[in-house]
Amino acid sequence: LHLGRPEPRKNLPFLIRVHQRALAADPDIPTLVLAGPGLARDRLPPTLLQALAEGDRRIHLLDDPADADLPSLLAGATALLFPSQLEGFGMPALEALAAGIPMLVPRGSAQADVAGSAGLDLPLDQPEAWVRAMTALHQSPALHARLSEEARLRSRHFSPEGAARALLDAWLETCA
């Protein structure tokens, strides 16, 4: 599952290519679901249309899903795939943690910081590392279960109470 808009920085053509390679390595790899605003085929950027045309096997586009649909999308996901080249904190990663969903994220990214031990941080210049990670998550229930548990534990670090405490502590430190 990927949650987000089809902006160039989201690196969706890369994600489509590695998913197609993972399918070639293991035909039972789950369908890639791209969900977010702007994912109607008639509004897609040309680079994304080209990537879809080159490997349109088991890819599902879900344009602008309702907020109420997010829990079921996450519950059905094997992992949140987030190969963004430039990203801030990002709600999709936080939502994946809360749902106990492992993540594949770029090494050194803000998403890797959010994912912590619940994610596999992978170099964007090594697509085969992403293919191996997708395959491993699919083929190893033990790895998937370990990362899912890590996600649930990690989500506790991002509670509203924890955010309020951190903000208050920062203010108190600044005022001291």
Side-chain angles (χ1 to χ4, degrees):
L1 173 66
H2 179 273
L3 297 173
R5 297 177 185 277
E7 300 167 357
R9 68 186 173 91
K10 299 292 185 173
N11 211 10
L12 295 182
F14 171 86
L15 181 55
I16 290 167
R17 285 191 300 274
V18 297
H19 179 259
Q20 297 305 298
R21 288 183 186 178
L23 273 173
D26 179 352
D28 294 328
I29 289 287
T31 295
L32 174 61
V33 176
L34 305 176
L39 282 165
R41 280 194 186 261
D42 62 342
R43 296 192 327 238
L44 294 177
T47 55
L48 187 51
L49 279 172
Q50 181 179 351
L52 286 168
E54 291 171 359
D56 200 4
R57 289 180 37 223
R58 301 225 328 254
I59 299 170
H60 180 72
L61 301 177
L62 184 56
D63 183 35
D64 206 11
D67 288 343
D69 294 335
L70 285 178
S72 61
L73 277 172
L74 287 162
T78 301
L80 180 72
L81 309 170
F82 217 89
S84 184
Q85 295 170 316
L86 178 63
E87 199 67 48
F89 179 81
M91 288 304 293
L94 195 57
E95 291 165 333
L97 288 177
I101 305 301
M103 286 182 267
L104 273 58
V105 294
R107 182 162 292 151
S109 68
Q111 299 309 306
D113 289 341
V114 173
S117 58
L120 300 176
D121 61 331
L122 306 161
L124 282 173
D125 63 347
Q126 296 178 21
E128 288 306 313
W130 287 74
V131 171
R132 285 190 303 275
M134 283 182 186
T135 304
L137 266 179
H138 174 66
Q139 293 177 350
S140 173
L143 174 63
H144 191 274
R146 180 178 63 80
L147 292 176
S148 292
E149 181 59 23
E150 291 289 336
R152 283 187 272 285
L153 293 172
R154 180 94 175 129
S155 72
R156 295 178 188 160
H157 293 269
F158 299 103
S159 69
E161 296 81 15
R165 171 56 57 199
L167 181 59
L168 179 61
D169 290 346
W171 279 346
L172 291 173
E173 185 176 315
T174 302
C175 293

